[in-house]
Amino acid sequence: TGFFCVDVLLIRNGLVLGNKTFVYEINDANVIQEKLASFITQYYANQNVVNLPHRVITNVILEPKNRSAIIEALRQITEQKIQILPKITRNIHKQWLQLALTNAEYILQQQVALQADLSKTFFELQQILSLEQKIQKIECFDVSHHSGEATVVSRVAFTPKGVCKEE
């Protein structure tokens, strides 16, 4: 089990306006191409057409069939041609790619450190509670209301890997 990270730089008129980072857990490094192709298509399909870039720069060389499928899907949304550039020649593109890679590496380091810290915390809690079995999950509940009306219950679950977003 490992992590796959995508850092999207928001660039307009040559200026970096910000970034968004997405981390996914993967079980097989061979699926990175598919995950990236799926991510690009879904991410840009959900964006405002005005905000779509003219080019997408990646550090992964996508298979021609994946690249063509992404370009065609985005062309149907925007009615404009979008380039996917795995090999970059312009110096500014190299700098943007390096910035995104640095951001992604930092986020991945944080993710690994967080997971190690959570595993340690779960182990320490097991020791404090004198439990023989490993703790697999911690669930937290909060019941709120306004003057006895409109009761709302929320639940958060944690495993040694982090927050259980699926539940």
Side-chain angles (χ1 to χ4, degrees):
T1 301
F3 296 101
F4 169 68
C5 184
V6 177
D7 189 68
V8 178
L9 290 181
L10 308 172
I11 300 170
R12 295 291 178 261
N13 298 322
L15 298 174
V16 178
L17 302 178
N19 73 311
K20 294 180 182 178
T21 306
F22 304 86
V23 178
Y24 302 96
E25 193 169 343
I26 58 171
N27 295 320
D28 181 4
N30 294 325
V31 301
I32 289 177
Q33 274 237 4
E34 292 172 29
K35 291 279 188 186
L36 181 60
S38 176
F39 173 85
I40 292 170
T41 304
Q42 290 178 21
Y43 179 80
Y44 289 111
N46 292 324
Q47 298 296 312
N48 182 336
V49 174
V50 175
N51 293 328
L52 289 176
H54 295 287
R55 71 184 66 87
V56 175
I57 301 170
T58 71
N59 68 323
V60 174
I61 298 174
L62 296 170
E63 292 178 12
K65 66 175 184 168
N66 287 336
R67 204 168 147 266
S68 297
I70 295 167
I71 290 170
E72 183 56 34
L74 296 179
R75 187 185 345 238
Q76 289 178 8
I77 296 167
T78 65
E79 298 178 7
Q80 67 185 22
K81 185 172 182 179
I82 294 177
Q83 296 176 304
I84 297 178
L85 305 174
K87 294 187 177 189
I88 48 179
T89 55
R90 291 184 58 197
N91 206 24
I92 190 69
H93 292 166
K94 289 179 184 178
Q95 291 173 357
W96 291 337
L97 181 58
Q98 188 55 52
L99 178 59
L101 289 171
T102 301
N103 291 343
E105 287 173 10
Y106 177 74
I107 294 298
L108 286 173
Q109 288 171 357
Q110 283 186 317
Q111 187 71 31
V112 169
L114 175 64
Q115 189 169 347
D117 201 36
L118 282 170
S119 293
K120 180 181 173 195
T121 301
F122 269 65
F123 177 76
E124 289 172 352
L125 182 59
Q126 176 188 345
Q127 298 299 310
I128 291 169
L129 297 174
S130 302
L131 299 173
E132 291 181 21
Q133 291 185 319
K134 285 185 175 181
I135 298 172
Q136 300 299 319
K137 186 187 296 186
I138 298 173
E139 296 179 275
C140 307
F141 294 89
D142 178 36
V143 180
S144 303
H145 61 84
H146 296 284
S147 303
E149 301 287 324
T151 303
V152 176
V153 177
S154 62
R155 174 186 160 271
V156 178
F158 290 90
T159 69
K161 293 183 177 183
V163 176
C164 292
K165 294 181 181 179
E166 307 87 44
E167 297 184 27

